[in-house]
């Protein structure tokens, strides 16, 4: 009788543990985002080469629109506080028309191999760069890198060589990567979903399928902005396939009582809440650096999370309007202090060729509306309401926290969500677009994170 009781109790415990583990995994979203009904036939898994191409007709239309642009007069001494200053915008448009060489930039875009493949009914565009040479007996580690809004796959063009050929750029070649940079569906040259509901979990599922199609059963993932959430969801969907997760933004949307208490008292009792001195500097006073900052800088998100198509129609029709909308984010999200400059500080960290190349990707692909819809698909049900927001991430995680992000997330907060943080570094400089702005710093952080995961084989210890 006693033996039977132990057997029954053991069965219950095993069932509970298995059920619990299952609950902590996000379901793969097998959707159909193509036009019309999903066909009965199996989807064609062919991968074909792709190159960026534009016609003279496309360029003539662009230049006509630039010539016919109407500029508003900015308020005196307003700098970038009201958005992109039209005095500086005129200079950008002049450069765009008279000096910017799009054909040269197309050559740069096409210097890395690009491909497309159909997944869940839509064509997925991706850059796939292998190391130029591998030491004998070595293998490259596959790394998925995901961009956000209003960025593109082009954000990674400066960091790709540092990861695929680190030794040639003064970095350790202990770990060499094979880099895959897809365009989020509805961004750049990835086809936009034709149905409602395509959110971050959908994108993570598509990219997981992409990596499996490329033959990678184990890989690393890296992201910021929407790439943070997509890669986080990927870690929740396929924790046994993702060896490590590296983020240059880690937001926590499911706030608990301790989070709220730390907001109230963390400035005065930082040690009690696990805050470092730098955390306090970046976060407090919280009304100014938290609440007010979010209110001042999140208007675009509210528009895009509610009625993206309305403003999108204007942006899709006007290249100058599109440039103004995107450039303002590259200014403010790189450094909030740039709002005090008439040129938005844009050329302090970037050059106009890079900024205009990113804008041109949005223009020639006509993707601004579909890219903005991604906000509505992710936020229309409210913050903190979705399953993935409540699930922990057990995959080994590295976080590079750049000081000029709009909002700072301290490690004490992040580890509530990411329960296996391997490295958390407060970076010395840089903002939101880290891969484009500070590629060396980001590459070094990725390399050290992967080095630690590999050395200790941490991906094999998930859940222990």
């Amino acid at each position: 009788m006693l033996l039977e009781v132990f057997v029954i109790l053991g069965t219950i415990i095993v069932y509970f543990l298995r059920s619990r583990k299952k609950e902590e995994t996000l379901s793969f979203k097998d959707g159909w985002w193509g036009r019309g009904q999903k066909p009965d036939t199996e989807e064609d898994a062919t991968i074909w080469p792709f190159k960026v191409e534009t016609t003279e007709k496309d360029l003539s239309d662009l230049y006509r629109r630039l010539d016919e642009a109407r500029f508003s007069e900015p308020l005196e001494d307003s700098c970038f506080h009201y958005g992109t200053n039209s005095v500086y915008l005129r200079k950008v448009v002049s450069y765009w028309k008279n000096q910017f060489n799009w054909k040269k930039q197309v050559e740069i875009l096409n210097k890395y191999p690009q491909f497309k493949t159909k997944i869940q009914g839509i064509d997925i565009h991706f850059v796939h760069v292998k190391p130029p040479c591998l030491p004998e007996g070595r293998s490259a580690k596959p790394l998925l890198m995901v961009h956000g809004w209003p960025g593109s796959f082009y954000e990674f063009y400066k960091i790709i060589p540092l990861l695929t050929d680190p030794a040639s750029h003064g970095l350790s070649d202990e770990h060499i990567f094979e880099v895959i940079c897809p365009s989020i569906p509805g961004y750049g040259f990835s086809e936009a979903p034709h149905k409602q509901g395509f959110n971050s979990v959908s994108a993570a599922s598509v990219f997981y399928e992409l990596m499996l199609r490329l033959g990678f059963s184990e890989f690393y993932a890296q992201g910021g902005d929407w790439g943070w959430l997509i890669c986080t969801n990927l870690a929740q969907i396929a924790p046994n396939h993702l060896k490590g997760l590296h983020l240059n933004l880690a937001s926590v949307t499911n706030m608990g009582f301790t989070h709220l208490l730390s907001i109230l008292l963390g400035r005065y009792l930082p040690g009690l809440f696990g805050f470092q001195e730098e955390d306090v500097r970046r976060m407090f006073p919280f009304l100014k650096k938290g609440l007010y900052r979010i209110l001042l800088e999140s208007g675009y998100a509210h528009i895009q999370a509610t009625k993206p198509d309305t403003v999108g129609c204007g942006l899709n029709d006007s290249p100058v309007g599109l440039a103004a909308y995107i450039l303002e984010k590259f200014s403010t999200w790189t450094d909030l202090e740039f709002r005090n400059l008439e040129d938005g500080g844009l050329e302090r960290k970037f050059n106009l060729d890079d900024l205009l190349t990113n804008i041109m990707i949005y223009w020639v692909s006509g993707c601004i509306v579909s890219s903005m819809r991604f906000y509505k698909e992710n936020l229309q049900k409210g913050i903190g309401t979705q399953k993935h927001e409540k699930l922990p991430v057990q995959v080994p995680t590295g976080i590079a926290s750049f000081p000029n992000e709009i909002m700072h997330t301290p490690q004490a907060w992040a580890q509530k969500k990411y329960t296996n943080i391997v490295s958390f570094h407060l970076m010395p400089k840089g903002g939101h677009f880290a891969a484009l702005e500070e590629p060396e710093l980001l590459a070094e952080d990725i390399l050290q994170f992967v080095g630690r995961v590999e050395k200790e084989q941490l991906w094999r210890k998930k859940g222990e």
Side-chain angles (χ1 to χ4, degrees), residues 5-52:
V5 171
F6 280 121
V7 170
I8 292 171
L9 285 174
T11 303
I12 292 172
I13 291 170
V14 169
Y15 174 78
F16 173 76
L17 290 174
R18 287 183 175 178
S19 299
R20 189 179 178 188
K21 187 175 182 180
K22 186 177 182 181
E23 287 176 359
E24 293 180 350
T25 301
L26 197 62
S27 297
F28 174 84
K29 194 170 182 179
D30 187 13
W32 172 259
W33 309 105
R35 288 187 173 90
Q37 295 294 316
K38 182 178 181 179
D40 296 330
T41 55
E42 189 174 337
E43 189 166 70
D44 184 359
T46 302
I47 297 173
W48 64 92
F50 171 82
K51 284 193 173 184
V52 179

Side-chain angles (χ1 to χ4, degrees), residues 290-305:
L291 183 61
Y292 291 167
R293 186 174 288 180
I294 285 294
L295 290 174
L296 283 171
E297 300 300 334
S298 64
Y300 81 98
H302 189 73
I303 292 173
Q304 294 175 195

Side-chain angles (χ1 to χ4, degrees), residues 161-182:
L162 307 184
L163 297 171
T164 57
D165 188 17
S168 297
H169 297 86
L171 300 174
S172 168
D173 66 348
E174 182 182 2
H175 302 288
I176 302 173
F177 296 92
E178 180 173 343
V179 178
I180 300 90
C181 304

Side-chain angles (χ1 to χ4, degrees), residues 386-404:
Q386 300 188 60
K387 182 179 179 180
H388 69 79
E389 295 177 276
K390 302 170 185 177
L391 295 181
V393 174
Q394 297 179 354
V395 169
T397 303
I399 297 173
S401 177
F402 286 84
N404 291 331

